[in-house]
Amino acid sequence: MIFQSLAGPLVFVSGLIFMFLVVPWERIKTLAAIGLVGGLGVGLVLGYLMQNVFGFWTYHHVDLVSIFGIPFFLVAGWIPVVIAFSHLLAQCKNIILVGVVLLAFPLSATFIHLLLLNNRMLTYHNWNLPLTFLISLGIHLAIAVYLNATGRLENLQGLARTLK
């Protein structure tokens, strides 16, 4: 196993670096609550359900800290990622960029799962990578719907009018 018990912290630090590179500090502060709920909250619930309730996933030596078998730093890595996702989606000026952002983040989540699978840090049981992509896409679409419903995606209002 490469990086035994360090994959979670590595994902967390990588997410923080990415967020600080693409999101201005003032935006980070305004999107922090979305990151906590949409990243940490959803991640903990998803991890608990997928591993402990449904048994679709089993983590092995992914993190330094686990809560009910859920790798804490791996899940916490979604806080900065959701903040970056929210910020980048709010910056999109055309529908192609919206599609790129909406697909890039679930593809990244799927890639992380692929790396964990290849390093035997994650085992799937009656689950697969396309399902991981679909559930991640659904979560990111739900975050986008929430952002739009709360008026944080004003940039998309004009896009909707240009498509009519």
Side-chain angles (χ1 to χ4, degrees):
M1 269 185 242
I2 299 173
F3 300 117
Q4 185 171 351
S5 298
L6 295 177
L10 184 61
V11 167
F12 179 69
V13 169
S14 298
L16 283 174
I17 291 168
F18 177 68
M19 177 188 71
F20 284 121
L21 287 174
V22 300
V23 184
W25 178 245
E26 290 304 316
R27 289 284 290 160
I28 291 170
K29 291 191 291 189
T30 62
L31 295 171
I34 293 167
L36 283 171
V37 174
L40 184 62
V42 170
L44 287 171
V45 169
L46 182 67
Y48 182 79
L49 290 174
M50 299 306 275
Q51 178 168 276
N52 300 342
V53 175
F54 301 120
F56 290 136
W57 304 342
T58 304
Y59 291 104
H60 314 280
H61 308 289
V62 174
D63 220 318
L64 299 170
V65 178
S66 290
I67 301 171
F68 298 110
I70 303 160
F72 178 75
F73 285 106
L74 183 69
V75 172
W78 285 104
I79 298 168
V81 170
V82 168
I83 290 170
F85 169 78
S86 301
H87 173 72
L88 290 173
L89 196 59
Q91 302 304 306
C92 292
K93 300 295 185 210
N94 66 57
I95 198 70
I96 293 171
L97 290 176
V98 170
V100 167
V101 170
L102 283 173
L103 291 175
F105 284 82
L107 283 171
S108 297
T110 305
F111 182 69
I112 290 170
H113 268 225
L114 176 64
L115 292 175
L116 293 173
L117 287 164
N118 286 341
N119 285 290
R120 295 182 184 98
M121 294 179 177
L122 176 64
T123 305
Y124 281 163
H125 311 281
N126 298 313
W127 194 259
N128 57 45
L129 287 171
L131 290 174
T132 297
F133 173 78
L134 289 175
I135 200 163
S136 183
L137 179 62
I139 290 167
H140 285 86
L141 286 171
I143 293 168
V145 167
Y146 171 78
L147 291 169
N148 191 48
T150 57
R152 291 185 171 103
L153 296 180
E154 295 173 1
N155 58 313
L156 298 184
Q157 304 307 320
L159 294 178
R161 283 191 291 275
T162 60
L163 293 175
K164 292 180 183 180

